[in-house]
């Protein structure tokens, strides 16, 4: 059974139970209505209770039908209270209050139909007033609570969509930046190939075949450079008129460490590459970007705490980078707020380079581990 079905069963059951109690116990007139036989009272009230199944689709029409029944049937009291609750939940407050007043206005008619009064009249008025006030108040509370839940749900959905958009934008920006860097690097390399092939073509000691081969190399380099500019050269317009310089390689990591130390940071650099040297090309550029972002995050979120940087690996094992630092006590962030998207761009670079990235907090330390292939 769905949640709506369960609520319907509870609503009808509560109306039937409440009406049955009132019929059995009675009110100011005694346990059994006077001029209206209890069988007629029940015959009117039970269908009214089942009419609560229509409270969602026709709350106003339901109230118009069942509220007048309280003048002749005490069994219908549960249905009347349920209808007024539905009005308070789904319609304007003034409408629910109006029908609540109408329900109280039927009290004199109901009392006139009784044979004798066992209790003071005010007891019946007070009981009805308390019940209908509770129904209206509960309905208003449920309406405000439902509106608050919807508002919070919309805010959560909007926040998730905005975060997803920021992540997608960060990935796109990082890919554009990578494309611009590769454009600068490859354009320089192809230009050098073209120049060297042109110089070789003019060398007087070469045979005709070698002259032709050098000319073909120069022509191919020119065509490749034109195609490269046609494919990704347009990305330069996203970054302004000035081209973005190529990213430094892993050999420039020591400069990053020195800059961090000059700013007061405690960076402990463990270079385990040794005779393996540094990987040229894409791996070195990605590694530099990883270290740069890791040291920036450490300075933002854990200022004044020691940072351990380990760089290891070789041509057969790949390039491994580990950065770790203690987490501030109580999770208090650093003085500089972060966007939370720096690692998204790093992860995008690492993934495009064929590597793996993992980060997280364990044993009071934040760790960032990256494994990159040793690309030429």
């Amino acid at each position: 059974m769905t949640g709506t079905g369960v609520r319907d069963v509870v609503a009808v059951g509560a109306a039937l139970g409440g009406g049955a109690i009132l019929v059995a116990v009675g009110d100011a007139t005694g346990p059994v209505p006077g001029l209206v036989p209890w069988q007629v009272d029940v015959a009117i009230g039970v269908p009214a209770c089942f009419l609560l199944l229509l409270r969602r689709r026709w709350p106003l029409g339901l109230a118009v039908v069942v509220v007048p029944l309280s003048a002749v049937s005490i069994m219908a009291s549960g249905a009347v209270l349920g209808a007024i609750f539905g009005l308070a939940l789904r319609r304007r407050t003034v409408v629910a209050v109006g029908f609540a007043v109408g329900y109280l206005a039927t009290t004199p008619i109901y009392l006139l139909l009784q044979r004798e009064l066992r209790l003071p009249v005010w007891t019946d008025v007070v009981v009805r007033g308390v019940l209908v006030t509770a129904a209206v108040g509960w309905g208003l509370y449920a309406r405000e609570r439902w509106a608050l839940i919807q508002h919070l749900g919309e805010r959560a959905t909007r926040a998730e969509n905005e975060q997803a958009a920021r992540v997608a934008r960060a990935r796109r920006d990082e890919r554009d930046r990578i494309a611009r860097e590769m454009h600068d690097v490859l354009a320089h390399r192809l230009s050098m190939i073209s120049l060297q092939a042109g110089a070789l073509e003019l060398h007087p000691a070469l045979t005709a075949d070698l002259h032709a081969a050098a000319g073909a190399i120069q022509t191919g380099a020119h065509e490749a450079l034109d195609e490269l500019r046609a494919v990704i050269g347009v990305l330069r317009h996203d970054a302004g008129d000035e081209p973005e310089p190529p990213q430094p390689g892993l050999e420039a990591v020591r400069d990053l460490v020195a800059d961090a130390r000059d700013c007061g940071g405690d960076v402990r650099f463990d270079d385990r590459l040794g005779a393996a040297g540094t990987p040229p090309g894409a791996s070195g550029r990605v590694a530099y970007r990883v270290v740069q972002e890791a040291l920036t995050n450490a300075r933002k979120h854990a200022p004044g705490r020691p940072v351990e940087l380990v760089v290891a690996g070789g041509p057969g094992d790949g390039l491994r980078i580990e950065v770790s630092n203690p987490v501030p006590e109580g999770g208090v962030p650093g003085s500089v707020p972060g966007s939370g998207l720096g690692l998204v761009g790093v992860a995008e670079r690492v993934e495009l380079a064929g590597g793996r990235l993992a980060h997280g907090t364990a044993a009071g330390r934040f760790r960032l581990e990256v494994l990159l292939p040793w690309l030429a």
Side-chain angles (χ1 to χ4, degrees), residues 146-156 158:
W146 177 250
L148 177 61
I149 291 174
Q150 283 188 318
H151 176 67
L152 294 177
E154 292 173 357
R155 287 184 57 184
R158 185 166 58 250

Side-chain angles (χ1 to χ4, degrees), residues 60 63 67 83-89 91-105 132-133 135-137 140 143:
L60 185 59
V67 169
I84 293 175
F85 168 81
L87 282 178
L89 179 62
R91 293 293 185 267
R92 292 185 303 169
T93 304
V94 65
V95 176
V97 172
F99 276 90
V101 173
Y103 167 64
L104 295 177
V132 77
T133 302
V136 173
L140 295 177
R143 183 174 67 183

Side-chain angles (χ1 to χ4, degrees), residues 122-141:
W122 64 266
T123 59
D124 192 79
V125 176
V126 168
V127 170
R128 291 188 181 218
V130 170
L131 291 177
V132 77
T133 302
V136 173
W138 186 17
L140 295 177
Y141 166 75

